[in-house]
Amino acid sequence: MPDDVTPDAAAAPDGVRAGHDWRRDVGLLRRREIGLVFGSRLVSDLGSGIAPIALAFGVLGLPGADAGDLGLVLFAAAVPRVVFMLLGGVVADRLDRGRLMVTAEVLAGLAQLLAGVLLLTGTASILWLCVLAAVNGTAFSLFYPAYAGLVPSLVADPGDLQSVNALLRLSTNVAGILGTALGGLLVATIGAGPALVVDSFTFLLSATLIWLLGERARGRVEGAGSALADLRDGWREFTARRWVWGVVLLFSFMNIGFSAAVGVVGPVRALDSWDGAPTWALLLACFSLGTVTGVVVALRVRPARPLLVAMCVAPVMALPIIALAPPWPVAVVAVLAFAAGVASDVFEVLWITALQNNIPAEALSRVSSYDYLGSLALVPIGLAVSGWAVATYGVEATMSACAALCLTSAIGLLDPQVRALRAGRADGLDAAAA
């Protein structure tokens, strides 16, 4: 960890606050619009904590299914996130972001409901689960850019932006802990199908809360040009800052390893070496518990150079994947999963806040879509290949390759722009460019 973390407000550059009262941060939730978004993320991410376990063991429980089939279903979900993400960014910067988010949540909820019913009735097939996974992935590609552009528009004081981002991550993380534990319990007791049905209703409740935002969730309707022109403008904003596209490029490799390890290779390791869903749920819950701690760190400590700190902690996310390769004892993997969770959320909050402080608001959804697309463009390939790699080279070799990919994030520390980016809103929103 670098030594330029500001211990108090007096040491923070350019008026950036650090270590302020947590009661003030929590008090931001009393603002109606922030409270609604917080609640929406809480219930939706509760279901999203259930879904990976339910889907993984639902697929693996089908007659004749193996890791390759699970990788295929996850591939089907990941492809639309890549193909339609840029379109989602354009639409989110032009239309009513709230309505777009509601539509996406309802679509995802219906897809999960049908998948759960198919598993529950014994009529599920890999083909149908792939189709529904693709629908879910499409819904996400509409939701994410709208959500990324919405949050800063709800924060009146730029000094509160990191706190709001951290609080929203807190909702995700608390829901992840509860959802992962609930997912393991549901799969172990009543099965994967009913667990996905429960997940579907959390999407619908989330959609209701977002709908209540009303006019506060509108996008850039007036004066919008063509979709192609909007894409070009978004690309120009994205490539104007090397610290943006450079970090995204590194995370494109890191996310291949992390997604393959967590989505495919990890559940297979849990089945081969331990007791399957319960142990895997425990490890995911430890990661989620770590993310809650990461939020606390992000609330209390404000780095003078936030991106430098973010890139220093990012390689920690590789540690539990390294430990899963042999594998090491469950207790050790659990501790490392916790540490990875802390690192994940410190990075996430600092990265999102840096984008929001340095990208013009009218282009933020599009830049966020380029960020997501670049970071995850290669993930579908990793998911599809990981099942084959396990069958060909074994779990240990495949998991080791995943760990090596996760460590590529450390290269970002070589970039002077990454090391130099200062906290707070850039002067003219382009001080860090070029």
Side-chain angles (χ1 to χ4, degrees), residues 17 23 29 37 45 49 57 91 114 134 137 166 210 254 269 297 302 310 314 332 342 349 367 369 403 429:
R17 295 179 306 223
R23 288 170 295 188
L29 295 177
V37 175
D45 289 326
F57 291 98
V91 173
L114 183 53
I210 296 169
M254 178 177 179
R269 168 60 78 197
V297 174
R302 306 298 173 95
V332 176
V342 175
V349 171
V367 172
S369 68
L429 288 180

Side-chain angles (χ1 to χ4, degrees), residues 6-223:
T6 55
D8 52 49
D14 304 323
V16 177
R17 295 179 306 223
H20 50 282
D21 190 350
W22 65 268
R23 288 170 295 188
R24 183 186 183 281
D25 292 329
V26 175
L28 294 171
L29 295 177
R30 298 193 189 99
R31 301 177 186 175
R32 180 177 180 274
E33 60 275 11
I34 296 175
L36 286 172
V37 175
F38 181 92
S40 165
R41 293 298 81 217
L42 186 66
V43 296
S44 184
D45 289 326
L46 176 69
S48 296
I50 298 171
I53 296 176
L55 184 61
F57 291 98
V59 171
L60 293 174
L62 294 177
D66 57 16
D69 294 309
L70 176 57
L72 185 61
V73 173
L74 296 178
F75 175 80
V79 166
R81 297 186 179 196
V82 173
V83 173
F84 299 120
M85 184 58 65
L86 294 182
L87 176 62
V90 170
V91 173
D93 274 336
R94 294 165 67 97
L95 303 180
D96 187 318
R97 286 171 175 152
R99 291 180 182 176
L100 185 60
M101 292 165 67
V102 168
T103 301
E105 291 286 75
V106 170
L107 185 62
L110 294 176
Q112 292 295 76
L113 178 61
L114 183 53
V117 170
L118 290 176
L119 288 172
L120 185 60
T121 58
T123 57
S125 66
I126 297 300
L127 176 60
W128 268 111
L129 291 178
C130 283
V131 170
L132 294 172
V135 172
N136 205 306
T138 301
F140 181 84
S141 69
L142 297 175
F143 180 90
Y144 177 79
Y147 173 69
L150 170 70
V151 172
S153 69
L154 303 179
V155 181
D157 181 357
D160 290 332
L161 192 54
Q162 183 173 326
S163 295
V164 171
N165 285 325
L167 289 169
L168 293 176
R169 289 295 300 177
L170 178 63
S171 71
T172 295
N173 300 338
V174 170
I177 295 172
L178 298 177
T180 300
L182 181 59
L185 178 63
L186 290 175
V187 171
T189 55
I190 60 177
L196 287 177
V197 172
V198 172
D199 180 29
S200 71
F201 284 103
T202 65
F203 279 111
L204 300 178
L205 179 55
S206 170
T208 301
L209 293 174
I210 296 169
W211 177 78
L212 292 174
L213 282 171
E215 293 298 315
R216 288 304 305 272
R218 298 197 67 83
R220 182 174 60 89
V221 180
E222 297 81 5

